[in-house]
Amino acid sequence: MLVAALSVLLVSIAWIDADLMVVPVDFCWWGMGIGVVGACIDPTLVTLAGMPDSIRWWEGGVRAVAGIAAGWGGLSLVVYLGKKLMGIKRLQFPDAAEWHLREPESEAEQLSFVIKSSQGDPRGGGHAEDIYPWGDLFFRDYDRLEIEGHGVRIDGKPVKAKTLLISRETVETGGKTYSIEELKSLSGKATKVAVPREAMGDGDPPLLGLIGAFIGWQGVAFSLFAACIFAIFWALPARVGFGRQLPFGPFLALGGAAWIFGGWALWDWYFGSLIHLGPTGK
C-alpha cells in the first residue's frame, strides 16, 4: 500500500516538474504526512536497509521524521550554498558593452536580455551577442538583473541613471519604477552586469523530504546520489550545457524508486563489506 502511494506521488510530482519546471509543494506536505503515519503502521519501507528483527510502531515514525529532516534539511543546505556560490554570474566589461531587451518574434520565443560579448563573433562582423531568455533570468520571483553603466534609454529617451534593477515585471532606475509590459524599448551600455541563475529549485528539498518520510535517511542519501548519476547520464547525451535549466525532481523520484527496487540491498552490501573489512583493511 505504501509503495503504491509513494509511486503515485512521485509519478505525479515528476510529471509536473518535467512539464512546468516546478515541484508542487502541497503534494509534498500531504506525502510527508502519509509517510509518517504509514511508517507507524507498517515500518517496512523505512527499515529496508539493516532491518532489525522487530521494531515498535513509534520507531517507524521516528525513522520517517528523521528521513524528512535528512531530505529536506540536507538538500536545503545544498540549495542555500549553491545559491551563495553560483547563484549570480558577474560580468565586467572594460569597454562598455551595448545591451537591450529583445521582444519575442513568435509565440515560441520570449523576451530576452541581449548584451554584446567582449569576445569577437567567430563568424566575423563585430562582437557576438549573449542572449538570456526571460524565463532563465527570473526563475524565482526574487531574482534581479543588476546593470551598471551609462547611456540608458527608455522608449528611445535618454535617462540619467548609472544603475538599473530589473525584475520579471519591473525596471527600477533613477528612483522610478517602470512596468516591463508598458515599455516599448530599453537599452544602454554596461560596465558591470549581475545575472541571476538557478542552482537548484526551492521545491526539490521538500520533495526529498517526502521521499525520506517513506524510506528513511539511508534512502535519502542513496536517492540523492542516484539522482545525480541519473541526471548526468541524461544531460550528457542530451547535450544540456551549464546554465541550462534541468528539472531535478524526476531524477529524485527515480532515485527513490531505485532504492525500493534493490538500492537498499546495494547499500547493505557496500556498508556491510566495509564493516567486515575492519580498521585493518583485511
Side-chain angles (χ1 to χ4, degrees):
M1 183 67 72
L2 287 179
V3 173
L6 179 59
S7 299
V8 170
L9 285 167
L10 291 183
V11 169
S12 301
I13 293 172
W15 186 276
I16 293 172
D17 192 22
D19 185 36
L20 303 177
M21 296 288 291
V22 61
V23 172
V25 178
D26 288 345
F27 284 27
C28 298
W29 279 111
W30 282 102
M32 281 183 267
I34 294 172
V36 172
V37 173
C40 293
I41 298 173
D42 181 6
T44 302
L45 284 183
V46 293
T47 55
L48 283 176
M51 183 174 180
D53 295 333
S54 62
I55 184 172
R56 287 167 286 189
W57 69 269
W58 59 267
E59 291 179 313
V62 169
R63 292 190 179 216
V65 172
I68 294 173
W72 196 331
L75 196 54
S76 292
L77 179 61
V78 172
V79 171
Y80 174 79
L81 293 176
K83 289 177 180 178
K84 285 293 183 181
L85 297 175
M86 301 180 292
I88 297 178
K89 179 181 179 181
R90 300 188 183 277
L91 306 174
Q92 293 190 14
F93 304 93
D95 299 324
E98 296 181 2
W99 63 268
H100 66 277
L101 299 189
R102 177 180 295 174
E103 293 287 340
E105 298 180 356
S106 66
E107 293 184 358
E109 298 181 357
Q110 55 182 307
L111 183 66
S112 301
F113 171 72
V114 181
I115 186 167
K116 287 189 176 181
S117 172
S118 58
Q119 299 179 351
D121 190 336
R123 297 169 297 181
H127 293 283
E129 291 182 334
D130 291 330
I131 302 174
Y132 299 89
W134 219 243
D136 292 350
L137 286 173
F138 306 110
F139 188 82
R140 302 171 294 257
D141 290 337
Y142 54 82
D143 282 330
R144 297 293 184 269
L145 173 65
E146 300 178 26
I147 304 173
E148 294 185 20
H150 56 83
V152 177
R153 301 181 72 88
I154 297 179
D155 293 340
K157 299 178 180 180
V159 176
K160 292 183 178 180
K162 293 184 178 180
T163 61
L164 287 91
L165 193 63
I166 302 177
S167 68
R168 181 182 293 143
E169 299 178 352
T170 63
V171 176
E172 299 177 24
T173 184
K176 296 183 179 180
T177 301
Y178 303 85
S179 171
I180 292 290
E181 291 185 355
E182 296 177 359
L183 292 181
K184 297 179 180 178
S185 65
L186 180 63
S187 62
K189 293 184 178 181
T191 54
K192 295 181 180 180
V193 178
V195 181
R197 57 183 178 181
E198 179 63 24
M200 185 178 290
D202 292 331
D204 293 324
L207 173 55
L208 193 56
L210 157 65
I211 293 172
F214 281 85
I215 62 178
W217 70 266
Q218 297 105 320
V220 163
F222 179 90
S223 298
L224 182 57
F225 176 77
C228 294
I229 299 299
F230 291 146
I232 291 172
F233 277 99
W234 172 269
L236 289 178
R239 297 183 179 180
V240 178
F242 291 103
R244 296 286 301 279
Q245 292 181 11
L246 181 67
F248 196 50
F251 301 109
L252 287 174
L254 284 174
W259 171 263
I260 294 174
F261 296 104
W264 62 272
L266 183 61
W267 176 284
D268 276 350
W269 169 81
Y270 178 75
F271 286 99
S273 299
L274 293 180
I275 293 174
H276 288 309
L277 284 175
T280 60
K282 296 180 180 179

